[in-house]
Amino acid sequence: MAEKKRVKYFIVDAFAESAFKGNPAAVCFLEDDNERDDAWLQSLATEFNISETCFLTPIIGDLPRFRLRWFTPVAEVDLCGHATLASAHVLFSTGLVGSETVEFDTLSGILTAKHLKNDDDGEESSIELDFPVVPTCEVNYIDDDLSLFSKALNGATILDVKATKKDLLVVLSSWEAVIDLKPRLDEISKCPCEGMMVTAAASDGSTYDFCSRYFAPRFGINEDPVTGSAHCALAHYWSLRMNKCDFFAYQASSRGGTLKVHLDKEKQRVLLRGKAVTVMEGYVLV
């Protein structure tokens, strides 16, 4: 049997301006979709044991396009912002694509990343992702549910609860409440959701509009450092509350991360803008 080819990978800190901040992702390159089976992909993601490991496979055509799949340490997911940003960063920074736009064929449809050498504020080399809106909706929770949420959040004062197709969005009383929160992850695992977003508006005079944290212990991610996909729901929620479409957001994990977010109501898309830093590269040998 022929020896399998080595798989090139990069470790990238996404939604970060310096190393060891933001959210790390492993970006792995496959030559074709049949090169490795799903069990191997999941095993490698478990081996890396960071919030996301993604796999890029080139698609032949006129435009730079890659098939992109995302895996947590325990499962494949259908949308991931920071690993998409990390993938685009690797493609742009290494010159693997010659244009300033790349498309990704994913479980959430075609996603586009643009390399912005100079953005509106004069900052250099950020990347803008074009993602679908994730609507938030009202849910009539019973008292037992609300009690469970409060227990999961260690008694924090809850102002509002919304739901997406898979996650819960819980609004706390203040920015400080989100920062200081010490969640009970075992109780979050019992909640009727895949992940839980916790958010609050920023204080008056802050450069930010809102902050958030994201917990997904069922998917092997106790706390995700910076969650791009969550902001597709957060943008929808805060747009309704603040009557605006442009936000500067902070994810208040221990690593921290910032995102510029634009909600396009007409197209029902969310534009996520951020930076990334490559911290490692190498080869998978097995």
Side-chain angles (χ1 to χ4, degrees):
M1 181 180 294
E3 184 177 350
K4 289 185 179 295
K5 294 181 180 179
R6 300 187 303 174
V7 173
K8 179 70 174 177
Y9 76 87
F10 298 80
I11 303 294
V12 177
D13 290 341
F15 295 114
E17 297 192 21
S18 59
F20 315 125
K21 300 291 185 181
N23 201 350
V27 180
C28 305
F29 286 86
L30 304 177
E31 292 188 6
D32 63 70
D33 285 336
N34 298 319
E35 185 176 356
R36 308 284 176 154
D37 62 23
D38 287 5
W40 186 91
L41 302 182
Q42 184 61 70
S43 294
L44 184 59
T46 304
E47 186 81 5
F48 276 122
N49 197 32
I50 54 180
S51 10
E52 216 77 39
T53 297
C54 63
F55 298 92
L56 284 171
T57 308
I59 298 174
I60 304 302
D62 295 333
L63 295 173
R65 180 178 286 189
F66 292 79
R67 186 159 288 109
L68 175 59
R69 298 175 67 183
W70 310 282
F71 290 77
T72 76
V74 300
E76 184 172 10
V77 298
D78 58 12
L79 187 63
C80 180
H82 86 276
T84 306
L85 178 67
S87 299
H89 167 77
V90 170
L91 293 171
F92 293 138
S93 65
T94 59
L96 288 173
V97 296
S99 70
E100 301 304 324
T101 302
V102 63
E103 292 183 344
F104 299 108
D105 185 354
T106 78
L107 290 176
S108 291
I110 299 297
L111 306 177
T112 303
K114 292 183 179 180
H115 186 201
L116 306 176
K117 293 187 176 180
N118 290 284
D119 67 15
D120 298 338
D121 297 327
E123 298 180 2
E124 295 183 354
S125 198
S126 61
I127 293 170
E128 184 177 84
L129 307 178
D130 186 336
F131 270 37
V133 168
V134 176
T136 58
C137 62
E138 300 281 352
V139 179
N140 293 321
Y141 292 107
I142 62 175
D143 289 343
D144 286 347
D145 287 329
L146 296 175
S147 176
L148 177 59
F149 303 157
S150 178
K151 188 176 181 181
L153 298 179
N154 220 0
T157 300
I158 296 174
L159 299 186
D160 196 8
V161 180
K162 294 289 187 288
T164 71
K165 186 177 180 181
K166 296 182 178 181
D167 292 338
L168 287 177
L169 188 157
V170 181
V171 184
L172 300 189
S173 58
S174 68
W175 176 287
E176 290 74 21
V178 174
I179 300 289
D180 297 337
L181 177 67
K182 294 179 173 56
R184 299 177 63 179
L185 297 171
D186 56 335
E187 298 297 331
I188 290 180
S189 296
K190 299 175 185 177
C191 293
C193 61
E194 292 187 358
M196 181 179 287
M197 293 169 262
V198 179
T199 186
S203 305
D204 291 341
S206 172
T207 57
Y208 296 101
D209 294 291
F210 62 84
C211 68
S212 66
R213 293 170 70 182
Y214 184 83
F215 309 99
R218 286 187 184 181
F219 277 77
I221 305 169
N222 287 341
E223 179 169 5
D224 198 30
V226 190
T227 316
S229 59
H231 286 78
C232 296
L234 290 163
H236 181 264
Y237 178 85
W238 286 115
S239 178
L240 294 172
R241 297 300 177 275
M242 297 181 177
N243 194 30
K244 59 188 290 187
C245 292
D246 290 284
F247 306 94
F248 190 36
Y250 178 68
Q251 190 148 338
S253 66
S254 59
R255 292 173 64 100
T258 58
L259 309 87
K260 291 182 179 179
V261 185
H262 172 73
L263 173 63
D264 187 328
K265 290 184 177 180
E266 181 179 349
K267 296 181 179 178
Q268 287 294 287
R269 306 292 292 181
V270 173
L271 303 181
L272 304 171
R273 188 178 296 184
K275 299 182 179 182
V277 180
T278 302
V279 295
M280 293 181 223
E281 61 178 287
Y283 292 92
V284 180
L285 304 179
V286 295

